[in-house]
Amino acid sequence: MSRSTQRIRRYAKAVLDVAAQQECVEEVRADLEQVRRWDETAPAFHVFAACDHLGGREERLRALRELARAAGLSRLTAEFLARMEMAQDLEHLGAVLDEFERLRKERTGIVPSEIVSARPLTDGQKAELSRRFGGGASGRVLEISYKEDPGILGGFVARIGEQVHDYSVSGRLARLRRRFAEA
């Protein structure tokens, strides 16, 4: 694991742990979603975050704190952003936000999932797949997104967290080719 990946995980875990201790995870999550929107839609903020050589340390920190105050961000979120700026790690902000969200979902039992089918699924099919792969007694909640890919020919591929369940025609053909090649 690279140093930057370790730093990203530490930042995300730290802000999530402190927010959990202060019982304000949802408030911080909402703040961080606002910061994500700035990073994605405000070119000036994106450049500010990506280029830590723009302006002096004190001016950058003052500008960041003023922006956080004007936006109504919580004290915890503002301090988190300030600490990233002081460590000159603001360029990793997008990755930290992604990791924060991944950890938050993991802790609350939400499993990001994707089901890819050759054609659009009916509501009944979606309900059946949700039931089939759902947490049941495990207490996990699936957050399912649905996509179409005619390249799989038929069937579906379900990615439930880290697990992949390939019930596609193209997947079956690939497995059959491998068996013939090994024989």
Side-chain angles (χ1 to χ4, degrees):
M1 182 182 315
S2 73
R3 272 201 151 114
S4 62
T5 302
Q6 290 173 342
R7 289 179 83 120
I8 289 164
R9 287 189 176 162
R10 273 198 313 265
Y11 278 122
K13 185 179 180 314
V15 74
L16 183 59
D17 287 347
V18 173
Q21 288 172 353
Q22 295 181 7
E23 297 180 356
C24 62
V25 172
E26 282 307 307
E27 179 182 8
V28 170
R29 185 201 59 75
D31 286 351
L32 294 178
E33 279 305 310
Q34 181 173 354
V35 172
R36 179 185 304 280
R37 284 190 301 276
W38 295 344
D39 195 39
E40 292 173 351
T41 62
F45 182 80
H46 180 75
V47 169
F48 174 83
C51 302
D52 65 355
H53 302 300
L54 294 176
R57 290 278 131 232
E58 294 302 317
E59 293 87 15
R60 287 179 58 85
L61 192 55
R62 190 175 21 253
L64 188 60
R65 285 193 165 135
E66 178 58 31
L67 179 62
R69 187 193 60 71
L73 300 183
S74 68
R75 189 182 63 74
L76 174 59
T77 304
E79 186 59 30
F80 165 69
L81 293 172
R83 287 186 185 265
M84 282 192 73
E85 170 58 32
M86 288 186 285
Q88 297 179 338
D89 283 335
L90 212 53
E91 68 183 288
H92 301 295
L93 182 61
V96 172
L97 299 177
D98 292 343
E99 183 65 9
F100 172 87
E101 190 59 19
R102 187 192 70 74
L103 287 172
R104 185 190 69 78
K105 286 179 179 180
E106 183 180 279
R107 288 184 185 184
T108 57
I110 297 172
V111 181
S113 308
E114 176 183 70
I115 297 179
V116 180
S117 59
R119 288 179 219 70
L121 298 173
T122 66
D123 289 341
Q125 290 169 322
K126 288 178 181 181
E128 175 58 25
L129 288 172
S130 179
R131 186 198 60 72
R132 180 177 180 180
F133 291 110
S138 71
R140 68 183 187 175
V141 175
L142 299 185
E143 185 177 79
I144 303 175
S145 64
Y146 296 93
K147 295 184 178 165
E148 289 88 38
D149 178 4
I152 68 170
L153 304 176
F156 66 92
V157 177
R159 289 179 187 83
I160 311 298
E162 300 294 319
Q163 297 178 336
V164 177
H165 305 272
D166 189 347
Y167 298 101
S168 67
V169 172
S170 63
R172 289 178 185 169
L173 288 172
R175 288 189 294 277
L176 189 58
R177 267 189 238 113
R178 277 194 302 273
R179 281 192 210 147
F180 282 134
E182 294 170 359

